[in-house]
Amino acid sequence: MHNSWDLSECVRKAVAFRDERGFKTLNDPKNLAAAISIEAAELEEMFLWKGREEFGEIDRERMSDIADELADIVIYALIFTHDAEIDLRVAVNAKIEKNRDKYPLLEK
């Protein structure tokens, strides 16, 4: 059964793309962190001055552009985790557990 959240093929493709073009020398931790931040700012810019929107209110063309920016963020993050030998699944699960302690359930 195919797991749509298994990103191993995406990691392989992103790293191969980078390596085939000789970009690995540019992918030190500082530059990868900056690239993630810059791409996140480009995503944020797509919502600047728009007011509060729900996902269903965003037209297809703009959602495609949003998906491109989000993909850039994820690609750089996957390359970062690959190069740093961080198991992203372990890191995400550990962070969720830390957040459970930091942000307890709201009382109703």
Side-chain angles (χ1 to χ4, degrees), residues 46-58 62:
M46 300 192 79
F47 296 94
L48 188 62
W49 315 122
K50 301 283 189 206
R52 182 161 170 73
E53 297 174 287
E54 298 298 326
F55 284 109
E57 299 171 337
I58 301 171
R62 191 158 150 249

Side-chain angles (χ1 to χ4, degrees), residues 13-53:
K13 285 182 176 180
V15 170
F17 180 91
R18 179 216 39 205
D19 292 349
E20 290 163 358
R21 286 154 182 81
F23 296 161
K24 186 172 182 168
T25 59
L26 304 172
N27 285 175
D28 58 77
K30 179 192 77 65
N31 283 327
L32 285 168
I36 292 167
S37 178
I38 291 164
E39 295 299 339
E42 289 178 8
L43 175 63
E44 187 176 25
E45 183 181 29
M46 300 192 79
F47 296 94
L48 188 62
W49 315 122
K50 301 283 189 206
R52 182 161 170 73
E53 297 174 287

